Amino acid sequence: MKQVVQNYKSGELAVLDVPVPGCKPGGVLVRSAFSLISTGTELMKVSEAGMSMLGKARSRPDQVAKVMQSVATNGVPATYRKVMGKLDSYTPLGYSLCGVVEQVGAGIDDVKVGDLVACAGNEHALHAELNWVPKNLYARVPDGLAPRHAAFGTVGSIALQGVRQGEPQLGEVALVIGLGLIGQLVVQLLAASGVRVVGADPDPARCELAARRGAAACGDPASAAVESAVAELTGGHGVDQVYLAAGGGSNQPVELAARLCRDRGRVVDIGKCRLDLPWNAYYEKELDVRFSRSYGPGRYDPGYELEGRDYPIGYVRWTERRNLACFLDLLARGSVDVEPLISHVADFDDAVETYQRLKDGELKAVAVLFKYPRRAEEAQAPAVAAPAVAVPAVNVKPTPARAARTPVRLAFVGAGNYATSMLLPHLVQREGVELSTVVTTTALSAANAQRKFGFAEATTDLDAVLGDKSIDAVFVVTRHSSHAELTRRALLAGKTVFVEKPLALTEDELAGVLEAVDESGNDRLQVGFNRRFAPLLREARQRFGTRTGPANLRYLVNAGRLQHGSWYLQQGTEGSRFAGEGGHFIDTASWLLEADPVSVYAVATSGNEDLQVVLRYPDGSTATISYVTSGPAGFPKETLDLVADGRALRLDDFVRASVYGQKRWVSSRLPKARDKGQNAELAAFIKAVRTGGPMPVPLQSLVATTAATLAVQTGLAGGAPVTLARAR
């Protein structure tokens, strides 16, 4: 299928061929009929992409701050790879469309195939021929409403949420500053609510359009016309509400709002304009400044948007989805008319030219729609099946031994930040490795990985990969909640598996993986515990020498706080932070102590964010892992000390290592980057796949580390040490 994309680094716009998204449970697959260009938000993004790197940095100081934080934590090289990887990737455009349901995922019963729906979301209602849309981001289109009008649903919801924040009442007077697409819709919604509206915009054509659609008066904000109209309509008191629907770097809108708003009036920011509030003006009138967050309650909440958890109507009357349905109803009843706002309808194949004309100013428009053709051959094609979860009850034996001289053919399931910054850059340079197929749930991420790393194929069909006998190994680099199931399926398919940590989030998941090993006879598994492969740590261990007595190990992990919205915070589905990351540190301790732990004791501060985990080993050695989130950003992330037999080993954040004994050894010079072992780990894995030799880490150790990680949560709940059964 085709999708409109942009490379943020180069500014390139393209209509790209990408895989068809799979229809996951909890949502529907929608074939687009019309999608709406947001001439404000999208053109701002397009313009930013055309800037120099310095210009991009100046326009997004929030992102610069994140980069500097990453430099402090991960170092310059790792941060550079991550940032450039993101910049030099295609990103999607679009967030408002109308289309026909083509396939219904499990758990959906409110729509059926063939229904017309309006869809929302900058990850789900894209300018693409097909989109997978979760339940709370679509709404059925009322009978009789034209699809081209229903495509305004998301943008209309943004305007509607802004109006709700202003709490207008019958007979009040409102000022709308900025009469672009959002401003025009705000004018109509206010007029439909019995509010008299004054519009302000320097474009006479937009003022005329707003006046035709219900504004009592409109004019250039720099002229006296707007101020005179406000004085006449309010008896000189000022407007009850001001809606900021303007963009740009001028501070004029907030200054005008203060001048024309009444005492204790309300100022609602809907757009993205400069907000240097003149303190005296806002203080003297005690103005109530409010922000309108996109489509409404539920926005940016993964539980609502992705998992389909609705808010009770008695507590949250107007959610994203209810706002969407409400706006569609207003359109169907004629209370809002979007047809006069449509300046241009372009064929989807002409998307790049259309954006360029808008950017250059050749196409003057309030609203532009893309119209999608329904090709005959696509209409006859079978629907794309959702990936099956059930595995046939058959014994699948491992694939036959491969010829040693043929390339090792790899498939990647998942192509997120870690895969594209820490794994694939090493593999793409490795001789004798062929990147065969990349599988993702979103079409564009697969296409990006294919373009950047040279995968032969990109798809959303996992079954096809597992059934491909030519693929030697499968990398599972997805979100934590899917690791165990995907690993289980790949083992049953006879593949050698590399799964990023964690292997499992529950004891039942771990048991399921081991059952797959028993059923298939395939134990070719590696978990991404890379620190034991770090060159600096391996050299330090060698110089420390053989240990005869018990050891004490202390491992301080300055994990830091997560950014708001990080999927790591979704503990209900993705597990705790320690469940996802702790295996790294337990595995490192066990490797240094050359044994698997026999018991785990864990204590936590309030909220279970800062942990102390004590591991006991068969020879009496102990390892204490301090996992903290409250440390300073500039402090090293990982420091480790091992003391035994009158000797000590110290590792400082994979930058410097030292060993103290009869002689002292200190690593000679600072490395160019923190090498945490990913390259060496991948080399060992590829060697095992190519030769059929032992896996780099025994299965017993992988299971023991995973069991110990899971025991931390059990110990926190019970408040007592947890004894570990010997791993298989």
Side-chain angles (χ1 to χ4, degrees), residues 15 28 35 63 107 121 136 145 169 208 277 291 403 463 490 529 549 582 609-610 624 658:
V15 177
V28 296
S35 62
Q63 296 299 321
N136 282 337
L145 180 60
Q169 298 184 33
E208 181 184 350
L277 302 181
F291 290 85
D463 290 331
F529 298 141
E609 290 186 345
D610 289 6
T624 301
S658 54

Side-chain angles (χ1 to χ4, degrees), residues 258-549:
R259 190 164 69 250
L260 298 185
C261 201
R262 66 166 170 81
D263 188 61
R264 293 176 175 81
R266 298 179 291 281
V267 178
V268 181
D269 178 44
I270 305 176
K272 189 179 181 182
C273 65
R274 188 174 173 184
L275 288 175
D276 292 340
L277 302 181
W279 188 85
N280 284 335
Y282 277 73
Y283 170 80
E284 289 171 0
K285 288 187 176 181
E286 199 174 342
L287 297 179
D288 184 357
V289 180
R290 302 179 180 183
F291 290 85
S292 179
R293 190 168 68 179
S294 200
Y295 330 142
R299 187 72 179 108
Y300 309 114
D301 176 1
Y304 178 89
E305 292 191 329
L306 299 179
E307 298 169 26
R309 294 201 297 266
D310 199 4
Y311 300 154
I313 195 169
Y315 293 89
V316 184
R317 178 62 184 92
W318 294 108
T319 60
E320 277 185 275
R321 195 183 198 201
R322 293 176 194 135
N323 272 339
L324 181 58
C326 177
F327 186 77
L328 295 175
D329 179 66
L330 290 170
L331 287 173
R333 291 190 287 113
S335 299
V336 176
D337 184 7
V338 295
E339 182 62 32
L341 307 181
I342 301 175
S343 308
H344 183 67
V345 178
D347 288 336
F348 179 61
D349 289 339
D350 297 330
V352 173
E353 178 188 353
T354 303
Y355 273 111
Q356 195 61 51
R357 291 177 62 198
L358 285 168
K359 180 183 176 183
D360 294 344
E362 178 188 341
L363 177 59
K364 302 289 186 181
V366 174
V368 174
L369 291 168
F370 288 138
K371 181 180 180 180
Y372 295 75
R374 185 172 178 86
R375 298 178 177 87
E377 63 271 19
E378 291 179 341
Q380 297 169 2
V384 179
V389 174
V391 178
V394 295
N395 291 321
V396 182
K397 298 300 180 183
T399 52
R402 57 187 309 284
R405 294 184 179 180
T406 59
V408 174
R409 302 189 77 238
L410 306 178
F412 261 68
V413 183
N417 285 335
Y418 189 82
T420 56
S421 64
M422 303 307 295
L423 299 181
L424 284 167
H426 296 303
L427 290 170
V428 77
Q429 299 173 2
R430 189 167 296 280
E431 187 177 351
V433 170
E434 180 181 334
L435 298 178
S436 171
T437 310
V438 58
V439 187
T440 63
T441 56
T442 57
L444 189 53
S445 58
N448 273 322
Q450 183 181 32
R451 179 184 69 91
K452 292 174 65 175
F453 299 106
F455 281 95
E457 296 183 33
T459 182
T460 59
D461 187 356
L462 176 61
D463 290 331
V465 170
L466 296 182
D468 186 346
K469 294 183 179 180
S470 69
I471 291 175
D472 298 304
V474 172
F475 279 71
V476 176
V477 201
T478 53
R479 289 195 176 184
H480 298 166
S481 58
S482 61
H483 284 189
E485 175 61 16
L486 291 172
T487 299
R488 188 182 70 84
R489 293 179 61 189
L491 288 171
L492 287 170
K495 305 301 182 186
T496 302
V497 180
F498 182 109
V499 57
E500 257 310 316
K501 50 79 192 166
L503 173 60
L505 291 175
T506 67
E507 293 180 1
D508 287 343
E509 287 185 353
L510 180 57
V513 172
L514 296 179
E515 288 171 3
V517 171
D518 287 339
E519 181 179 340
S520 65
N522 179 13
D523 63 355
R524 307 286 288 169
L525 175 65
Q526 170 67 14
V527 180
F529 298 141
N530 52 274
R531 282 156 175 78
R532 64 161 66 201
F533 296 92
L536 191 60
L537 185 56
R538 294 181 77 88
E539 183 178 1
R541 182 178 124 159
Q542 181 182 7
R543 290 182 178 273
F544 185 88
T546 303
R547 178 173 56 85
T548 58

